[in-house]
Amino acid sequence: MGMSKHDAYYEPEDYDTRSDEIEHRTYELMKVGAKYDYRTASAIAEALSELDIAGADALQAMIDTGDYEKIGRKVMMMTLDYMERFAKDAAESEIND
């Protein structure tokens, strides 16, 4: 039995492989010890210092629960998101320039 045309992987002709390269490079820049590693005290401090009002409110809501595990997860996810923006910008600059 052959593969249905609906099962075949579709890749448009105008697919830009740079997006895969950017994603891979972003990952490389965020590895442990790399420039945008989010698992450091300085990255956490920087991310927390740059919180907007919505982020500060979300973190405060976690703090108010008194659940230290949830607070820790929230802080780490905020830091990951923060550092990922910089890593992706750096990756895009490297690959597109």
Side-chain angles (χ1 to χ4, degrees):
M1 181 171 193
M3 183 187 304
S4 163
K5 68 178 182 178
H6 298 292
D7 296 331
Y9 176 73
Y10 173 72
E11 187 170 298
E13 289 182 28
D14 64 345
Y15 178 75
D16 185 358
T17 58
R18 288 181 298 182
S19 62
D20 290 341
E21 292 175 45
I22 290 167
E23 185 176 324
H24 178 73
R25 184 61 183 142
T26 300
Y27 169 77
E28 292 291 318
L29 290 168
M30 294 183 72
K31 281 184 171 180
V32 174
K35 184 174 183 179
Y36 297 103
D37 180 4
Y38 65 95
R39 300 164 208 83
T40 65
S42 63
I44 294 167
E46 181 179 340
L48 292 177
S49 73
E50 296 295 325
L51 284 178
D52 59 11
I53 293 172
D57 288 345
L59 181 57
Q60 187 62 54
M62 278 301 132
I63 292 168
D64 292 344
T65 69
D67 186 332
Y68 294 116
E69 188 175 333
K70 285 183 181 179
I71 296 165
R73 285 185 192 163
K74 185 67 174 174
V75 167
M76 292 309 295
M77 291 310 300
M78 290 175 139
T79 305
L80 173 106
D81 291 344
Y82 178 80
M83 296 307 285
E84 187 176 37
R85 285 193 314 246
F86 290 103
K88 187 173 182 182
D89 286 347
E92 286 174 346
S93 291
E94 288 178 16
I95 291 166
N96 289 332
D97 289 343

Coordinates of all heavy atoms in Angstrom, one line a residue:
M1 N 0.8 -1.2 0.0 CA 0.0 0.0 0.0 C 0.9 1.2 0.0 O 1.8 1.4 0.8 CB -0.9 0.0 1.2 CG -1.8 1.1 1.3 SD -3.0 0.7 2.7 CE -4.2 1.9 2.4
G2 N 0.7 2.1 -0.9 CA 1.5 3.3 -1.1 C 1.1 4.4 -0.1 O 0.1 4.3 0.6
M3 N 1.9 5.4 -0.1 CA 1.7 6.6 0.8 C 0.6 7.5 0.1 O 0.7 7.8 -1.1 CB 3.0 7.4 1.0 CG 2.8 8.5 1.9 SD 4.2 9.6 2.1 CE 5.5 8.5 2.6
S4 N -0.3 7.9 0.9 CA -1.4 8.8 0.4 C -0.7 10.2 0.2 O 0.2 10.5 0.9 CB -2.5 8.9 1.4 OG -3.3 10.0 1.2
K5 N -1.2 10.9 -0.8 CA -0.7 12.2 -1.0 C -0.9 13.1 0.2 O -0.2 14.1 0.5 CB -1.3 12.9 -2.2 CG -2.8 13.2 -2.1 CD -3.3 13.9 -3.4 CE -4.7 14.2 -3.2 NZ -5.2 14.9 -4.4
H6 N -1.9 12.8 1.1 CA -2.2 13.5 2.3 C -1.2 13.2 3.4 O -1.0 14.0 4.3 CB -3.6 13.3 2.8 CG -4.6 13.7 1.8 ND1 -4.9 15.0 1.5 CD2 -5.5 12.9 1.1 CE1 -5.8 15.0 0.6 NE2 -6.2 13.8 0.3
D7 N -0.5 12.1 3.3 CA 0.5 11.7 4.3 C 1.9 12.2 4.0 O 2.8 12.2 4.8 CB 0.6 10.1 4.4 CG -0.7 9.6 5.0 OD1 -1.4 10.3 5.7 OD2 -1.0 8.4 4.6
A8 N 2.1 12.6 2.8 CA 3.4 13.0 2.3 C 3.8 14.4 3.0 O 2.9 15.2 3.2 CB 3.5 13.2 0.8
Y9 N 5.0 14.5 3.4 CA 5.5 15.8 4.0 C 5.5 16.9 2.9 O 6.0 16.7 1.8 CB 6.9 15.6 4.6 CG 7.5 16.9 5.1 CD1 7.0 17.4 6.3 CD2 8.5 17.6 4.5 CE1 7.5 18.6 6.8 CE2 9.0 18.7 5.0 CZ 8.5 19.2 6.2 OH 9.0 20.4 6.7
Y10 N 4.9 18.0 3.2 CA 4.8 19.1 2.3 C 5.8 20.2 2.7 O 5.8 20.6 3.8 CB 3.4 19.7 2.3 CG 3.3 20.9 1.5 CD1 3.4 20.9 0.1 CD2 3.1 22.1 2.1 CE1 3.3 22.0 -0.7 CE2 3.0 23.3 1.3 CZ 3.1 23.2 0.0 OH 3.0 24.4 -0.8
E11 N 6.6 20.5 1.8 CA 7.5 21.6 2.0 C 7.4 22.6 0.8 O 7.7 22.2 -0.3 CB 9.0 21.1 2.1 CG 9.9 22.2 2.5 CD 11.3 21.7 2.9 OE1 11.4 20.9 3.8 OE2 12.3 22.1 2.1
P12 N 6.9 23.8 1.1 CA 6.7 24.7 -0.1 C 8.0 25.0 -0.7 O 9.0 25.0 -0.1 CB 6.0 25.9 0.6 CG 6.2 25.8 2.0 CD 6.5 24.3 2.3
E13 N 7.9 25.3 -2.0 CA 9.1 25.7 -2.8 C 9.8 26.9 -2.2 O 11.0 27.1 -2.3 CB 8.8 25.9 -4.2 CG 8.4 24.6 -4.9 CD 8.1 24.8 -6.4 OE1 8.6 25.7 -7.0 OE2 7.3 24.0 -6.9
D14 N 9.0 27.8 -1.6 CA 9.6 29.0 -1.1 C 10.0 28.9 0.4 O 10.3 29.9 1.0 CB 8.7 30.2 -1.3 CG 7.4 30.1 -0.5 OD1 7.1 29.0 -0.1 OD2 6.7 31.1 -0.4
Y15 N 10.1 27.7 0.9 CA 10.5 27.4 2.3 C 11.9 28.0 2.5 O 12.8 27.7 1.7 CB 10.5 25.9 2.6 CG 10.9 25.6 4.0 CD1 10.1 25.9 5.1 CD2 12.1 25.1 4.3 CE1 10.5 25.7 6.4 CE2 12.6 24.8 5.5 CZ 11.7 25.1 6.6 OH 12.1 24.9 7.9
D16 N 12.0 28.8 3.5 CA 13.3 29.4 3.9 C 14.0 28.6 4.9 O 13.6 28.5 6.1 CB 13.0 30.8 4.4 CG 14.3 31.6 4.6 OD1 15.4 31.1 4.4 OD2 14.2 32.8 5.0
T17 N 15.1 27.9 4.5 CA 15.9 27.1 5.4 C 16.6 27.9 6.5 O 17.0 27.4 7.5 CB 16.9 26.3 4.7 OG1 17.8 27.1 4.0 CG2 16.3 25.3 3.8
R18 N 16.6 29.2 6.3 CA 17.2 30.1 7.3 C 16.5 30.0 8.7 O 17.1 30.1 9.7 CB 17.4 31.5 6.9 CG 18.4 31.7 5.8 CD 18.5 33.1 5.4 NE 17.2 33.5 4.8 CZ 16.9 34.7 4.3 NH1 17.8 35.6 4.3 NH2 15.8 34.9 3.8
S19 N 15.2 29.8 8.6 CA 14.4 29.7 9.9 C 14.9 28.5 10.7 O 15.0 28.6 11.9 CB 12.9 29.7 9.7 OG 12.6 28.5 8.9
D20 N 15.2 27.4 10.1 CA 15.8 26.2 10.8 C 17.2 26.6 11.3 O 17.5 26.2 12.5 CB 15.9 25.0 9.9 CG 14.6 24.4 9.6 OD1 13.6 24.7 10.3 OD2 14.5 23.7 8.6
E21 N 18.0 27.3 10.5 CA 19.3 27.7 11.0 C 19.2 28.6 12.2 O 20.0 28.5 13.1 CB 20.1 28.4 9.8 CG 20.4 27.5 8.7 CD 21.1 28.2 7.5 OE1 21.9 29.1 7.8 OE2 20.7 28.0 6.4
I22 N 18.3 29.6 12.1 CA 18.1 30.5 13.2 C 17.7 29.8 14.5 O 18.2 30.1 15.6 CB 17.1 31.6 12.8 CG1 17.7 32.5 11.7 CG2 16.6 32.4 14.0 CD1 16.7 33.5 11.1
E23 N 16.8 28.9 14.3 CA 16.3 28.1 15.5 C 17.5 27.3 16.1 O 17.6 27.3 17.3 CB 15.2 27.1 15.1 CG 14.6 26.4 16.3 CD 13.4 25.5 15.8 OE1 12.6 25.9 14.9 OE2 13.3 24.5 16.4
H24 N 18.3 26.7 15.3 CA 19.4 25.9 15.8 C 20.4 26.8 16.4 O 20.9 26.5 17.5 CB 20.0 25.1 14.6 CG 21.2 24.3 15.0 ND1 21.2 23.2 15.8 CD2 22.6 24.5 14.8 CE1 22.4 22.7 16.0 NE2 23.2 23.5 15.5
R25 N 20.7 27.9 15.8 CA 21.7 28.9 16.4 C 21.2 29.4 17.7 O 22.0 29.6 18.6 CB 22.0 30.0 15.4 CG 23.1 30.9 15.8 CD 24.4 30.2 16.0 NE 25.4 31.1 16.5 CZ 26.3 30.8 17.5 NH1 26.4 29.6 17.9 NH2 27.2 31.7 17.9
T26 N 19.9 29.7 17.8 CA 19.3 30.2 19.0 C 19.6 29.2 20.1 O 20.0 29.6 21.2 CB 17.8 30.5 18.8 OG1 17.6 31.5 17.8 CG2 17.2 31.0 20.1
Y27 N 19.3 28.0 19.8 CA 19.6 26.9 20.8 C 21.0 26.8 21.2 O 21.3 26.7 22.4 CB 19.1 25.5 20.2 CG 19.6 24.4 21.0 CD1 18.9 24.0 22.1 CD2 20.7 23.6 20.6 CE1 19.3 22.9 22.9 CE2 21.1 22.5 21.4 CZ 20.4 22.2 22.5 OH 20.8 21.1 23.2
E28 N 21.9 27.0 20.2 CA 23.4 26.9 20.5 C 23.7 28.1 21.5 O 24.6 27.9 22.4 CB 24.2 27.0 19.3 CG 24.1 25.8 18.4 CD 24.7 24.6 19.0 OE1 25.8 24.7 19.5 OE2 24.1 23.5 18.9
L29 N 23.2 29.2 21.2 CA 23.5 30.4 22.0 C 22.9 30.4 23.4 O 23.4 31.1 24.3 CB 23.0 31.7 21.3 CG 23.7 32.1 20.1 CD1 23.0 33.2 19.3 CD2 25.1 32.6 20.4
M30 N 22.0 29.4 23.7 CA 21.4 29.3 25.0 C 21.8 28.1 25.8 O 21.4 27.9 26.9 CB 19.8 29.3 24.8 CG 19.3 30.6 24.3 SD 17.5 30.5 24.2 CE 17.0 30.6 25.9
K31 N 22.8 27.4 25.2 CA 23.3 26.2 25.9 C 23.9 26.6 27.2 O 24.3 27.8 27.4 CB 24.3 25.5 25.1 CG 23.7 24.6 24.0 CD 24.9 23.9 23.3 CE 24.4 22.8 22.4 NZ 25.5 22.1 21.7
V32 N 24.1 25.6 28.1 CA 24.8 25.9 29.4 C 26.2 26.5 29.1 O 26.9 25.9 28.4 CB 24.9 24.6 30.3 CG1 25.7 24.9 31.5 CG2 23.5 24.1 30.6
G33 N 26.4 27.6 29.7 CA 27.7 28.3 29.6 C 27.8 29.2 28.4 O 28.8 29.9 28.2
A34 N 26.8 29.1 27.5 CA 26.9 30.0 26.3 C 26.5 31.4 26.6 O 26.1 31.7 27.8 CB 25.9 29.4 25.2
K35 N 26.6 32.3 25.7 CA 26.4 33.7 25.9 C 25.0 34.1 26.5 O 24.9 34.9 27.3 CB 26.6 34.5 24.6 CG 26.5 36.0 24.7 CD 26.8 36.7 23.4 CE 26.8 38.2 23.6 NZ 27.2 38.9 22.4
Y36 N 24.0 33.4 26.0 CA 22.6 33.7 26.5 C 22.0 32.5 27.4 O 20.8 32.3 27.4 CB 21.7 33.9 25.3 CG 22.1 35.2 24.5 CD1 22.8 35.0 23.3 CD2 21.9 36.4 25.0 CE1 23.3 36.2 22.6 CE2 22.3 37.6 24.3 CZ 23.0 37.4 23.1 OH 23.4 38.5 22.5
D37 N 22.9 31.9 28.1 CA 22.5 30.8 29.0 C 21.6 31.5 30.1 O 21.9 32.4 30.8 CB 23.7 30.2 29.7 CG 23.4 29.1 30.7 OD1 22.2 28.8 30.9 OD2 24.3 28.6 31.3
Y38 N 20.3 31.0 30.2 CA 19.4 31.5 31.2 C 19.5 30.9 32.6 O 18.8 31.4 33.5 CB 17.9 31.4 30.6 CG 17.5 29.9 30.5 CD1 16.8 29.4 31.6 CD2 17.8 29.2 29.4 CE1 16.3 28.0 31.5 CE2 17.4 27.8 29.3 CZ 16.6 27.3 30.4 OH 16.2 26.0 30.3
R39 N 20.4 30.0 32.7 CA 20.5 29.3 34.0 C 21.6 29.9 34.9 O 22.3 29.1 35.6 CB 20.8 27.8 33.7 CG 19.8 27.1 32.9 CD 20.4 25.8 32.4 NE 19.8 25.3 31.2 CZ 20.1 25.7 29.9 NH1 21.0 26.6 29.7 NH2 19.5 25.3 28.9
T40 N 21.7 31.2 34.9 CA 22.7 31.8 35.7 C 22.0 32.9 36.6 O 21.0 33.4 36.2 CB 23.8 32.5 34.9 OG1 23.2 33.6 34.1 CG2 24.5 31.6 33.9
A41 N 22.6 33.2 37.7 CA 22.1 34.2 38.6 C 22.0 35.5 37.9 O 21.0 36.3 38.1 CB 22.9 34.3 39.9
S42 N 23.0 35.9 37.1 CA 23.0 37.2 36.5 C 21.9 37.3 35.4 O 21.3 38.3 35.2 CB 24.4 37.5 35.8 OG 24.7 36.6 34.8
A43 N 21.6 36.2 34.7 CA 20.5 36.2 33.7 C 19.2 36.4 34.4 O 18.3 37.1 34.0 CB 20.5 34.9 32.9
I44 N 19.0 35.7 35.6 CA 17.8 35.8 36.3 C 17.6 37.2 36.8 O 16.5 37.8 36.7 CB 17.7 34.7 37.5 CG1 17.7 33.3 36.9 CG2 16.6 35.0 38.4 CD1 18.0 32.2 37.9
A45 N 18.7 37.8 37.4 CA 18.6 39.1 37.9 C 18.3 40.1 36.8 O 17.4 41.0 37.0 CB 19.9 39.5 38.6
E46 N 18.9 39.9 35.7 CA 18.6 40.8 34.5 C 17.2 40.7 34.1 O 16.5 41.7 33.9 CB 19.6 40.5 33.4 CG 19.4 41.5 32.2 CD 20.3 41.2 31.0 OE1 21.4 40.5 31.3 OE2 20.0 41.6 29.9
A47 N 16.7 39.5 33.9 CA 15.3 39.3 33.5 C 14.3 39.9 34.5 O 13.4 40.6 34.0 CB 15.0 37.8 33.3
L48 N 14.5 39.7 35.7 CA 13.6 40.3 36.7 C 13.7 41.8 36.8 O 12.7 42.4 37.0 CB 13.9 39.7 38.1 CG 13.6 38.2 38.3 CD1 14.1 37.7 39.7 CD2 12.2 37.9 38.0
S49 N 14.9 42.3 36.5 CA 15.0 43.8 36.6 C 14.3 44.4 35.4 O 14.0 45.6 35.4 CB 16.4 44.2 36.6 OG 17.1 44.0 35.3
E50 N 14.0 43.7 34.3 CA 13.4 44.2 33.1 C 11.9 43.9 33.0 O 11.3 44.1 31.9 CB 14.2 43.7 31.9 CG 15.6 44.2 31.8 CD 15.7 45.7 31.6 OE1 14.9 46.3 30.9 OE2 16.7 46.2 32.2
L51 N 11.3 43.3 34.0 CA 9.9 43.0 34.0 C 9.0 44.2 33.7 O 9.2 45.3 34.2 CB 9.4 42.4 35.3 CG 9.8 41.0 35.7 CD1 9.3 40.6 37.0 CD2 9.3 40.0 34.6
D52 N 8.0 43.9 32.8 CA 7.0 45.0 32.6 C 5.9 44.8 33.6 O 6.0 43.9 34.5 CB 6.5 44.9 31.2 CG 5.8 43.6 30.8 OD1 5.6 42.7 31.8 OD2 5.5 43.3 29.7
I53 N 4.9 45.6 33.6 CA 3.9 45.6 34.6 C 3.2 44.3 34.6 O 2.9 43.7 35.7 CB 2.9 46.8 34.4 CG1 3.6 48.1 34.7 CG2 1.7 46.6 35.3 CD1 2.8 49.3 34.4
A54 N 2.8 43.8 33.5 CA 2.1 42.5 33.4 C 3.0 41.3 33.9 O 2.5 40.5 34.7 CB 1.8 42.2 31.9
G55 N 4.3 41.3 33.6 CA 5.2 40.3 34.1 C 5.3 40.4 35.6 O 5.3 39.4 36.3
A56 N 5.5 41.6 36.1 CA 5.6 41.8 37.6 C 4.3 41.4 38.3 O 4.4 40.7 39.4 CB 5.9 43.3 37.9
D57 N 3.2 41.7 37.7 CA 1.9 41.2 38.3 C 1.8 39.7 38.3 O 1.3 39.1 39.3 CB 0.7 41.8 37.6 CG 0.5 43.3 37.8 OD1 1.2 43.9 38.8 OD2 -0.2 44.0 37.0
A58 N 2.2 39.1 37.2 CA 2.2 37.6 37.1 C 3.1 37.0 38.2 O 2.7 36.0 38.8 CB 2.5 37.2 35.7
L59 N 4.3 37.5 38.3 CA 5.2 37.0 39.3 C 4.7 37.2 40.7 O 4.7 36.3 41.6 CB 6.6 37.7 39.2 CG 7.6 37.2 40.1 CD1 7.8 35.7 40.1 CD2 8.9 37.9 39.9
Q60 N 4.1 38.4 41.0 CA 3.5 38.7 42.3 C 2.4 37.7 42.6 O 2.3 37.2 43.8 CB 3.0 40.1 42.4 CG 2.6 40.5 43.8 CD 3.7 40.4 44.8 OE1 4.8 41.0 44.6 NE2 3.5 39.7 45.9
A61 N 1.6 37.4 41.6 CA 0.5 36.4 41.8 C 1.1 35.0 42.3 O 0.6 34.4 43.1 CB -0.3 36.2 40.6
M62 N 2.2 34.7 41.7 CA 2.9 33.4 42.1 C 3.4 33.5 43.5 O 3.3 32.6 44.3 CB 4.0 33.1 41.1 CG 3.7 32.4 39.9 SD 2.8 30.8 40.1 CE 1.5 31.1 39.0
I63 N 4.1 34.6 43.8 CA 4.6 34.9 45.1 C 3.5 34.8 46.2 O 3.7 34.2 47.2 CB 5.4 36.2 45.2 CG1 6.6 36.1 44.3 CG2 5.7 36.6 46.6 CD1 7.3 37.5 44.0
D64 N 2.4 35.4 45.8 CA 1.2 35.4 46.8 C 0.7 34.0 47.1 O 0.1 33.8 48.1 CB 0.1 36.2 46.3 CG 0.5 37.7 46.2 OD1 1.5 38.1 46.9 OD2 -0.2 38.5 45.5
T65 N 1.0 33.0 46.2 CA 0.5 31.6 46.5 C 1.4 31.0 47.6 O 0.9 30.0 48.2 CB 0.6 30.7 45.2 OG1 2.0 30.5 44.9 CG2 -0.1 31.3 44.1
G66 N 2.6 31.5 47.8 CA 3.5 30.9 48.8 C 4.0 29.5 48.3 O 4.7 28.9 49.1
D67 N 3.8 29.1 47.1 CA 4.3 27.9 46.6 C 5.6 28.1 45.9 O 5.7 28.6 44.8 CB 3.3 27.3 45.6 CG 3.6 25.9 45.1 OD1 4.8 25.6 45.0 OD2 2.7 25.2 44.7
Y68 N 6.7 27.8 46.7 CA 8.0 28.1 46.2 C 8.4 27.4 44.9 O 9.1 27.9 44.1 CB 9.1 27.8 47.3 CG 8.9 28.7 48.5 CD1 8.6 28.2 49.7 CD2 9.1 30.0 48.3 CE1 8.4 29.0 50.8 CE2 9.0 30.9 49.4 CZ 8.6 30.3 50.6 OH 8.5 31.2 51.7
E69 N 7.8 26.2 44.7 CA 8.1 25.5 43.4 C 7.5 26.2 42.2 O 8.2 26.4 41.2 CB 7.5 24.1 43.5 CG 7.9 23.2 42.3 CD 7.4 21.8 42.4 OE1 7.3 21.3 43.5 OE2 7.3 21.2 41.3
K70 N 6.3 26.7 42.4 CA 5.7 27.5 41.3 C 6.4 28.8 41.1 O 6.5 29.3 40.0 CB 4.2 27.8 41.6 CG 3.3 26.6 41.5 CD 1.8 26.9 41.7 CE 0.9 25.7 41.6 NZ -0.5 26.1 41.9
I71 N 6.8 29.4 42.2 CA 7.6 30.7 42.0 C 8.9 30.5 41.3 O 9.2 31.2 40.3 CB 7.9 31.3 43.4 CG1 6.6 31.7 44.2 CG2 8.8 32.5 43.3 CD1 6.8 31.9 45.7
G72 N 9.6 29.4 41.6 CA 10.8 29.1 40.9 C 10.6 28.8 39.4 O 11.3 29.3 38.6
R73 N 9.5 28.0 39.2 CA 9.2 27.7 37.7 C 8.9 29.0 37.0 O 9.3 29.2 35.8 CB 8.0 26.8 37.6 CG 8.4 25.4 38.0 CD 7.2 24.5 37.7 NE 7.4 23.2 38.3 CZ 6.5 22.3 38.5 NH1 5.2 22.6 38.2 NH2 6.8 21.2 39.1
K74 N 8.1 29.9 37.6 CA 7.8 31.2 36.9 C 9.0 32.0 36.7 O 9.1 32.5 35.6 CB 6.8 31.9 37.8 CG 6.2 33.2 37.2 CD 5.3 32.8 36.0 CE 4.6 34.0 35.4 NZ 3.9 33.7 34.2
V75 N 9.9 32.1 37.7 CA 11.1 32.9 37.5 C 11.9 32.3 36.4 O 12.4 33.1 35.5 CB 11.9 33.0 38.8 CG1 13.3 33.5 38.6 CG2 11.1 33.9 39.8
M76 N 12.1 31.0 36.3 CA 12.9 30.4 35.3 C 12.3 30.5 33.9 O 13.0 30.8 32.9 CB 13.2 28.9 35.6 CG 14.1 28.7 36.8 SD 15.6 29.7 36.8 CE 16.5 28.9 35.5
M77 N 11.0 30.4 33.8 CA 10.4 30.6 32.5 C 10.4 32.0 32.0 O 10.6 32.2 30.8 CB 8.9 30.1 32.5 CG 8.8 28.6 32.7 SD 9.8 27.6 31.6 CE 9.1 28.1 30.0
M78 N 10.3 32.9 32.9 CA 10.4 34.4 32.5 C 11.9 34.6 32.1 O 12.0 35.3 31.1 CB 10.1 35.3 33.7 CG 8.6 35.3 34.1 SD 8.3 36.3 35.6 CE 6.8 37.1 35.1
T79 N 12.8 34.0 32.7 CA 14.2 34.2 32.4 C 14.5 33.6 31.0 O 15.2 34.2 30.2 CB 15.2 33.7 33.5 OG1 14.8 34.3 34.7 CG2 16.6 34.0 33.1
L80 N 14.0 32.4 30.8 CA 14.2 31.7 29.5 C 13.6 32.5 28.4 O 14.3 32.8 27.4 CB 13.5 30.3 29.6 CG 13.4 29.6 28.2 CD1 14.4 28.5 28.2 CD2 12.1 29.1 27.9
D81 N 12.4 33.0 28.6 CA 11.7 33.9 27.5 C 12.6 35.1 27.3 O 12.7 35.5 26.1 CB 10.3 34.3 27.9 CG 9.4 33.1 27.9 OD1 9.7 32.0 27.3 OD2 8.3 33.2 28.5
Y82 N 13.0 35.7 28.3 CA 13.8 37.0 28.2 C 15.1 36.7 27.4 O 15.4 37.4 26.5 CB 14.1 37.5 29.6 CG 14.9 38.8 29.6 CD1 14.4 40.0 29.4 CD2 16.3 38.7 29.9 CE1 15.1 41.2 29.4 CE2 17.1 39.8 29.9 CZ 16.5 41.1 29.7 OH 17.3 42.2 29.7
M83 N 15.9 35.7 27.8 CA 17.1 35.4 27.2 C 16.9 34.9 25.7 O 17.8 35.2 24.9 CB 18.0 34.5 28.0 CG 18.4 35.0 29.4 SD 19.2 36.6 29.3 CE 20.8 36.1 28.8
E84 N 15.9 34.2 25.5 CA 15.6 33.7 24.2 C 15.4 34.8 23.1 O 15.8 34.7 22.0 CB 14.4 32.7 24.2 CG 14.1 32.0 22.9 CD 13.0 31.0 23.0 OE1 12.0 31.3 23.7 OE2 13.1 30.0 22.3
R85 N 14.8 35.9 23.6 CA 14.6 37.0 22.7 C 16.0 37.5 22.2 O 16.2 37.8 21.0 CB 13.8 38.1 23.3 CG 12.4 37.9 23.5 CD 11.6 39.1 23.9 NE 12.3 39.9 25.0 CZ 11.8 40.1 26.2 NH1 10.6 39.6 26.5 NH2 12.4 40.7 27.1
F86 N 16.9 37.7 23.1 CA 18.2 38.2 22.7 C 19.0 37.1 21.9 O 19.7 37.5 20.9 CB 19.0 38.5 24.0 CG 18.5 39.7 24.7 CD1 17.8 39.6 25.8 CD2 18.7 41.0 24.2 CE1 17.3 40.7 26.5 CE2 18.2 42.1 24.8 CZ 17.5 42.0 26.0
A87 N 18.9 35.9 22.3 CA 19.6 34.8 21.5 C 19.0 34.7 20.1 O 19.8 34.6 19.1 CB 19.4 33.5 22.2
K88 N 17.7 34.9 19.9 CA 17.1 34.8 18.6 C 17.5 36.0 17.8 O 17.8 35.9 16.6 CB 15.6 34.7 18.7 CG 15.0 34.5 17.3 CD 13.5 34.2 17.4 CE 12.9 34.0 16.0 NZ 11.5 33.7 16.1
D89 N 17.5 37.2 18.4 CA 18.0 38.4 17.6 C 19.4 38.2 17.2 O 19.8 38.6 16.0 CB 17.9 39.6 18.5 CG 16.4 40.1 18.7 OD1 15.5 39.6 18.0 OD2 16.2 40.9 19.6
A90 N 20.3 37.7 18.1 CA 21.7 37.5 17.7 C 21.8 36.5 16.6 O 22.6 36.6 15.6 CB 22.5 37.0 18.9
A91 N 21.1 35.4 16.7 CA 21.1 34.3 15.6 C 20.6 34.9 14.3 O 21.2 34.6 13.3 CB 20.2 33.2 16.1
E92 N 19.5 35.7 14.3 CA 19.0 36.3 13.1 C 20.1 37.2 12.5 O 20.3 37.2 11.2 CB 17.7 37.0 13.3 CG 16.5 36.1 13.6 CD 15.3 36.8 14.0 OE1 15.3 38.0 14.3 OE2 14.2 36.2 14.0
S93 N 20.7 38.0 13.3 CA 21.8 38.9 12.8 C 22.9 38.1 12.1 O 23.4 38.5 11.1 CB 22.3 39.8 13.9 OG 21.3 40.7 14.3
E94 N 23.4 37.1 12.8 CA 24.5 36.2 12.3 C 24.1 35.6 10.9 O 24.9 35.6 10.0 CB 24.8 35.1 13.3 CG 25.5 35.6 14.5 CD 25.8 34.4 15.4 OE1 25.7 33.2 15.0 OE2 26.1 34.7 16.6
I95 N 22.9 35.1 10.8 CA 22.5 34.3 9.7 C 22.0 35.2 8.5 O 22.3 34.9 7.4 CB 21.5 33.2 10.1 CG1 22.2 32.2 10.9 CG2 20.8 32.6 8.9 CD1 21.3 31.3 11.7
N96 N 21.3 36.2 8.8 CA 20.8 37.1 7.7 C 21.8 38.1 7.2 O 21.5 38.7 6.2 CB 19.5 37.7 8.2 CG 18.4 36.7 8.4 OD1 18.3 35.7 7.7 ND2 17.5 37.0 9.3
D97 N 22.8 38.4 7.9 CA 23.8 39.4 7.5 C 24.9 38.8 6.7 O 25.2 37.7 6.6 CB 24.4 40.1 8.7 CG 23.3 41.0 9.3 OD1 22.3 41.3 8.7 OD2 23.6 41.5 10.5

